[in-house]
Amino acid sequence: MQYDSHNKFATTTVFLHWLVGLTIIGLLATGIYMSENGVYALYPWHKAIGFLVLFVALPRVVWRMKNGWPSAAANYKPIEHKLASVVHWVLIIATLLMPISGLMASVLGGHGLSVFGLEVFAPNYSVEDPEKTLPINYELSKAGGAIHFYLGYTVIVALLLHIAGALKHHFVDKDGTLKRMLGKTIGE
């Protein structure tokens, strides 16, 4: 199995980074659009994809821990190293906490979870009114919803910093960091 080197990232690293990253960006955009415009028809898609991303994010986190953090492509100021470390940790933790908190909000809120027609968690319908769902645990559902909401905006800030850093590396530092994340080798 190929691991990251200073000059080239492993295919697994590149694939998982882009798959999880682009999916999370899509889910963030969809989540904001749904909540700001009350587009409830998109919730089943959002929840299904969010649930599935957990099964890609988990191997990504395991891969990152096993593979280690990538070495810097060049020498940077200590503050740049610290900021990059904080942003990377926020993103790696958020890729797990976003789907888990969304799952808490939905399932514990009694809404259940269906993944493209496959019922993973059944809704908790009221006996008196079968059209109405009842929370399984209201407090934990609300906590999950709050974590999902605030973490979403935290991830947006971290993503903007991450993208700005990648562009700085590429256009200002010209150090090959972005080339590595595109699957290329530095120095070619």
Side-chain angles (χ1 to χ4, degrees), residues 132-167:
K132 183 180 177 185
T133 57
L134 298 174
I136 294 168
N137 187 316
Y138 181 79
E139 290 78 19
L140 286 178
S141 170
K142 288 299 172 196
I147 291 167
H148 199 70
F149 178 83
Y150 291 112
L151 187 57
Y153 286 102
T154 303
V155 171
I156 290 170
V157 171
L159 276 169
L160 291 173
L161 289 170
H162 186 65
I163 292 166
L167 294 174

Side-chain angles (χ1 to χ4, degrees), residues 4-6 9 13 64 67-73 81 88 177 180-181:
D4 295 342
S5 71
H6 178 75
F9 286 163
T13 298
R64 178 52 54 220
N67 192 30
W69 293 101
S71 61
H81 281 291
H88 284 125
T177 297
R180 290 190 308 185
M181 196 41 72

Side-chain angles (χ1 to χ4, degrees), residues 64-176:
R64 178 52 54 220
M65 296 305 130
K66 183 177 180 181
N67 192 30
W69 293 101
S71 61
N75 291 323
Y76 303 105
K77 297 175 186 164
I79 187 72
E80 289 177 294
H81 281 291
K82 182 56 85 179
L83 182 58
S85 178
V86 168
V87 167
H88 284 125
W89 274 106
V90 166
L91 292 174
I92 202 90
I93 292 168
T95 59
L96 296 175
L97 286 183
M98 284 298 288
I100 290 169
S101 61
L103 194 61
M104 284 174 59
S106 181
V107 173
L108 295 176
H111 303 291
L113 174 69
S114 177
V115 177
F116 305 118
L118 175 67
E119 188 174 78
V120 179
F121 296 99
N124 188 33
Y125 290 113
S126 167
V127 175
E128 292 83 30
D129 182 2
E131 297 293 317
K132 183 180 177 185
T133 57
L134 298 174
I136 294 168
N137 187 316
Y138 181 79
E139 290 78 19
L140 286 178
S141 170
K142 288 299 172 196
I147 291 167
H148 199 70
F149 178 83
Y150 291 112
L151 187 57
Y153 286 102
T154 303
V155 171
I156 290 170
V157 171
L159 276 169
L160 291 173
L161 289 170
H162 186 65
I163 292 166
L167 294 174
K168 176 194 173 286
H169 283 297
H170 190 70
F171 292 111
V172 176
D173 301 332
K174 300 179 194 264
D175 62 12

